[in-house]
Amino acid sequence: MADKAQGHTDWSPERYGRFRDLRLRPALDLLARVPVLPEQGRVIDLGCGSGAVAEELSRRFTKRKIVGVDNSVEMLKKAAATGAYHRCDLVDIQSWEPTNKPPALIFSNAALQWLPDHAALLPRLAGMLRPGGVLAVQMPRQNGAPSHRFLREFAAEMFPDRFDFTGWVPPVADLPDYARILQPLGEADLWQTDYLQRLRLQGDGHPIRHFTEATIMRPFLEKLTAAEQEAFVKRYERALEVAYPPEADGSVLFPFRRVFLVVKVS
């Protein structure tokens, strides 16, 4: 999901798609826990990106219209090309609202972590559903891991004029916090999974840098000149080599935590 609301440029479907299978598995795990939906209503793929989950949604909900929503032009082109969506809407997901009747399912895979104030956001989204509708959300919760922590630490040290994380709060909260937010809305199912991802070499550079450069690195690099980017990436790669050393075959093991929220509204 592109985050132009935060001033970021458009996403690269090619870079994001390098690790398609690793990014798709959590979406399928989320989809597997979506309960029975009301008889009527559309399925909204909120922050659909390039449409990685489109075919699976279409296969699961064969008789429903599926609408992709994203604010990346390039990602939506890829999504529309899947042929699985009834429509693809170019909309900032932070301000999105259904244009027709209330949907039966709002499905959001790895998108809402870019948006603030989940205590207000999740009830607002749930309130858009028809009675018995389902809100299903998956978000990475990786900000305490070296792969993500290094970015904040190095940016603040190297470029304090542009990066200040004083009072910084992780964008994804603890599960008990989400339980308290969702409990008044309906029947909630929450869980957390640590995926042990094996990343293999893909050209020059540390595999985890290739993984993060399509997502969490973007807002950092966009504030740097070309020379600053080079220095920043070099330092990041050196730190990654220590935190995530290569295995005998050259791959690296990359533990990655994700949070899942499913609520069937009352």
Side-chain angles (χ1 to χ4, degrees), residues 9-216:
T9 56
D10 208 354
W11 286 63
S12 167
E14 289 73 25
R15 284 186 176 182
Y16 190 81
R18 287 179 184 175
F19 301 95
R20 181 182 184 279
D21 290 346
L22 295 178
R23 300 189 196 278
L24 179 60
R25 181 181 173 187
L28 299 182
D29 290 347
L30 177 65
L31 182 59
R33 298 279 281 270
V34 173
V36 175
L37 300 180
E39 291 187 6
Q40 303 295 323
R42 299 184 178 193
V43 170
I44 307 298
D45 189 359
L46 190 63
C48 65
S50 60
V53 196
E55 293 182 5
E56 296 297 333
L57 288 171
S58 180
R59 188 176 295 115
R60 168 79 182 271
F61 305 109
T62 55
K63 297 182 179 180
R64 297 181 189 268
K65 293 180 178 179
I66 302 173
V67 177
V69 178
D70 206 284
N71 63 354
S72 165
V73 174
E74 293 303 316
M75 286 289 203
L76 278 181
K77 287 180 182 177
K78 293 281 187 179
T82 67
Y85 293 109
H86 170 69
R87 192 177 75 238
C88 287
D89 294 345
L90 182 64
V91 181
D92 187 334
I93 67 171
Q94 188 164 5
S95 57
W96 172 85
E97 294 182 358
T99 57
N100 206 322
K101 298 178 181 179
L105 170 66
I106 297 176
F107 186 93
S108 185
N109 180 61
L112 298 190
Q113 74 275 7
W114 296 105
L115 302 186
D117 194 5
H118 290 177
L121 174 67
L122 295 175
R124 184 174 71 84
L125 290 174
M128 297 175 184
L129 295 161
R130 63 182 57 231
V134 174
L135 173 64
V137 174
Q138 183 273 124
M139 298 179 289
R141 190 169 182 268
Q142 188 72 357
N143 290 92
S147 59
H148 290 45
R149 177 169 48 82
F150 289 157
L151 294 170
R152 300 191 303 275
E153 292 177 353
F154 298 165
E157 291 175 11
M158 297 172 70
F159 313 105
D161 58 320
R162 277 157 285 178
F163 299 96
D164 182 3
F165 292 97
T166 304
W168 177 83
V169 177
V172 179
D174 294 333
L175 277 184
D177 294 325
Y178 287 117
R180 296 182 186 102
I181 294 170
L182 298 179
Q183 189 274 331
L185 306 178
E187 184 179 345
D189 181 14
L190 301 85
W191 72 99
Q192 182 171 276
T193 299
D194 289 344
Y195 294 88
L196 185 59
Q197 303 179 155
R198 182 180 292 274
L199 306 187
R200 304 190 182 279
L201 292 173
Q202 296 192 13
D204 295 334
H206 197 281
I208 291 177
R209 192 263 294 174
H210 287 294
F211 188 94
T212 59
E213 69 181 357
T215 54
I216 194 64

Side-chain angles (χ1 to χ4, degrees), residues 212-257:
T212 59
E213 69 181 357
T215 54
I216 194 64
M217 280 189 72
R218 295 176 64 251
F220 293 90
L221 297 179
E222 287 165 1
K223 294 184 179 181
L224 305 179
T225 67
E228 290 170 339
Q229 288 182 9
E230 183 178 0
F232 182 68
V233 170
K234 282 184 178 179
R235 183 176 179 186
Y236 182 54
E237 291 236 13
R238 288 196 300 268
L240 290 177
E241 288 170 2
V242 176
Y244 304 96
E247 300 297 304
D249 62 356
S251 66
V252 297
L253 298 178
F254 185 28
F256 202 99
R257 177 167 295 177

